[in-house]
Amino acid sequence: MVLTPRLTQPNAPVHAPQPAHLAQPAHPAAVEANEAIRALVDARAGQDWSSVESAAYEVLLIEWAAATRAAAGDIIEAA
């Protein structure tokens, strides 16, 4: 797996208004998992990933998904 680096800086100011569903503070576990995902992706950007790194990425995605579901109260909205 090869990922490319993000085009925007993580601390760059965002001038566009945020959607209402993103205005809520994120669950701390979701923030922590997201930061770990970003660090892993940024560290390996443009390089092939080992099977261990790919597995670590998958685990972080599962942790992030679980934390975001917990933060949303398991509410699913229809489109």
Side-chain angles (χ1 to χ4, degrees):
M1 170 190 297
V2 176
L3 298 177
T4 57
R6 289 175 278 140
L7 299 176
T8 59
Q9 295 298 322
N11 296 326
V14 177
H15 300 289
Q18 295 292 320
H21 70 280
L22 294 178
Q24 301 172 5
H27 191 277
V31 172
E32 184 177 320
N34 190 43
E35 289 173 356
I37 290 167
R38 286 183 187 270
L40 178 62
V41 170
D42 286 347
R44 300 297 299 163
Q47 301 176 31
D48 287 332
W49 288 29
S50 70
S51 58
V52 172
E53 291 164 331
S54 294
Y57 179 73
E58 288 182 36
V59 168
L60 289 170
L61 287 178
I62 292 167
E63 290 174 0
W64 175 84
T68 57
R69 275 195 300 275
D74 293 325
I75 298 172
I76 300 172
E77 294 183 25

